[in-house]
């Protein structure tokens, strides 16, 4: 019986050491699952996904009232109804606006801007826990979700900001160059809210029970941030530094900045300190919130 041609023995396969495997993975841009990337790379990944962030946010904002008969008109009706009800209670019955001449304009700014604050804080804190399927199924920087909530609420609040300008005109305010500062105030407020959404999302992801306290905190802030009363007038009654704390808290500053932008200088004179403090809060909270959120990046979606 004739034997077939003999096969040359195959060369032994050499396994890579852990350090060699890591170097090879880094060479081809591979990263280990369930790890936290460096902060610089994390921020760059967020920036590369800006188109996805915008598309997701705009779609969520549009879908919110899509099934209602009046559709997107509710983006105007809701703030208008809130302004009317709060003016009746706090402007007419209780008179909390003090010596402010334009009570409707004063309350309108407080109601609309704080509604934006309330929505971002409440929904941003649950941005991870309410999207666990997305978190577990796809790989992307989880910071996209709190940012998406912030941008969604900003888009949804845009008609209300337009309504605010109409209210100012109807109530006798005269347009001036200071009105151009309103978008600046809203942008700085957005930075504050994005930072708080980052912090809230990490806290609630660590303990869902803490999420039950969010509505209580928001309700408390509503009555201490100057939505219904001039902060500076009431701060004078507080002892020590508590008056400054009330005036320069990050929830009162956006309202005061917006009032300085839109209302007469007699009631709300322009104060550069207000704007510097608002800018400082915006930058600090956005940076601190992102770092706090990033430090738990590898844990989101687990458990």
């Amino acid at each position: 019986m004739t034997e077939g041609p003999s096969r040359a023995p195959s060369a032994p396969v050499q396994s890579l050491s852990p350090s060699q495997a890591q170097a090879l993975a880094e060479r081809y841009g591979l990263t280990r699952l369930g790890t936290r990337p460096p902060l610089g790379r994390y921020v760059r990944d967020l920036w590369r996904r800006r188109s996805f962030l915008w598309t997701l946010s705009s779609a969520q904002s549009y879908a919110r009232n899509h099934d209602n008969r009046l559709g997107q008109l509710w983006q105007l009706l809701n703030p208008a109804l809130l302004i009317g009800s709060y003016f009746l209670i706090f402007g007419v019955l209780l008179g909390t606006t003090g010596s402010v001449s334009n009570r409707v304009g004063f309350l309108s700014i407080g109601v609309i801007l704080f509604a934006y604050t309330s929505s971002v804080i409440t929904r941003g804190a649950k941005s991870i826990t309410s999207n666990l399927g997305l978190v577990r199924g796809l790989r992307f920087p989880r910071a996209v979700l709190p940012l998406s909530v912030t941008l969604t609420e900003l888009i949804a609040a845009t008609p209300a900001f337009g309504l605010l300008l109409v209210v100012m005109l109807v109530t006798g305010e005269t347009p001036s160059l200071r009105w151009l500062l309103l978008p600046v105030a809203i942008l700085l407020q957005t930075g504050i809210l994005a930072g708080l959404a980052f912090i809230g999302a990490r806290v609630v992801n660590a303990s869902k029970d803490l999420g039950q306290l969010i509505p209580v905190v928001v309700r408390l802030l509503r009555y201490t941030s100057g939505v219904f009363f001039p902060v500076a007038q009431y701060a004078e009654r507080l002892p020590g530094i508590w008056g400054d704390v009330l005036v320069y808290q990050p929830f009162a500053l956006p309202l005061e900045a917006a009032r300085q932008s839109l209302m007469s200088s007699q009631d709300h004179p322009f104060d550069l300190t207000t704007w510097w403090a608002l800018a400082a809060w915006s930058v600090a909270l956005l940076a601190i919130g992102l770092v706090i959120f990033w430090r738990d990046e590898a844990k989101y979606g687990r458990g």
Side-chain angles (χ1 to χ4, degrees):
M1 185 174 181
T2 305
E3 296 183 359
S6 60
R7 297 182 180 177
S10 59
V13 178
Q14 296 181 351
S15 59
L16 299 176
S17 66
S19 59
Q20 290 174 325
Q22 181 177 356
L24 184 64
E26 292 177 353
R27 176 182 174 186
Y28 288 96
L30 303 178
T31 57
R32 184 182 301 173
L33 292 174
T35 59
R36 183 185 66 200
L39 182 59
R41 187 200 305 167
Y42 192 71
V43 173
R44 290 193 296 271
D45 287 344
L46 279 174
W47 177 250
R48 284 196 292 266
R49 287 167 173 80
R50 61 188 182 277
S51 296
F52 168 72
L53 175 62
W54 171 258
T55 302
L56 177 64
S57 302
S58 55
Q60 288 178 338
S61 176
Y62 178 80
R64 179 171 303 174
N65 295 307
H66 183 68
D67 293 334
N68 295 328
R69 184 179 297 273
L70 296 179
Q72 303 306 311
L73 188 59
W74 281 109
Q75 305 283 25
L76 290 173
L77 290 177
N78 278 328
L81 292 173
L82 283 175
I83 290 171
S85 59
Y86 281 131
F87 174 72
L88 178 62
I89 297 173
F90 295 96
V92 177
L93 298 180
L94 299 180
T96 59
T97 54
S99 59
V100 175
S101 57
N102 186 355
R103 294 183 178 183
V104 176
F106 179 91
L107 285 172
S108 298
I109 293 173
V111 168
I112 289 178
L113 265 68
F114 192 84
Y116 175 38
T117 295
S118 174
S119 298
V120 173
I121 293 177
T122 303
R123 295 175 179 170
K126 299 178 181 179
S127 59
I128 297 295
T129 56
S130 61
N131 291 283
L132 287 179
L134 186 62
V135 172
R136 292 169 178 169
L138 297 175
R139 187 180 179 191
F140 61 95
R142 307 314 189 206
V144 165
L145 295 177
L147 283 177
S148 175
V149 169
T150 307
L151 185 55
T152 297
E153 298 305 324
L154 177 60
I155 296 172
T158 301
F161 297 146
L163 175 65
L164 189 58
L165 298 178
V166 175
V167 171
M168 293 297 109
L169 291 172
V170 171
T171 54
E173 299 293 342
T174 303
S176 66
L177 290 177
R178 287 204 305 175
W179 283 31
L180 298 177
L181 290 174
L182 178 63
V184 179
I186 294 172
L187 179 63
L188 294 176
Q189 180 187 18
T190 301
I192 291 174
L193 297 180
L196 294 174
F198 283 137
I199 297 172
R202 177 175 176 179
V203 169
V204 172
N205 182 73
S207 175
K208 292 184 179 180
D209 290 334
L210 294 177
Q212 303 301 320
L213 298 177
I214 299 294
V216 179
V217 173
V218 170
R219 194 173 298 115
L220 177 63
L221 291 173
R222 188 186 305 275
Y223 294 105
T224 57
S225 59
V227 175
F228 310 114
F229 62 90
V231 169
Q233 294 181 16
Y234 284 82
E236 296 173 354
R237 308 177 185 179
L238 298 178
I241 66 170
W242 294 110
D244 291 334
V245 171
L246 182 65
V247 171
Y248 294 107
Q249 57 166 303
F251 304 98
L253 285 171
L255 309 188
E256 177 59 27
R259 285 164 178 155
Q260 290 181 16
S261 302
L262 298 179
M263 300 186 68
S264 68
S265 57
Q266 180 179 355
D267 289 332
H268 292 275
F270 181 82
D271 180 14
L272 190 59
T273 304
T274 298
W275 292 87
W276 278 117
L278 177 58
W281 273 116
S282 181
V283 173
L285 279 177
L286 181 60
I288 293 172
L290 178 60
V291 171
I292 290 174
F293 184 89
W294 161 78
R295 289 180 64 85
D296 237 19
E297 175 72 13
K299 299 180 182 179
Y300 298 124
R302 295 185 176 185

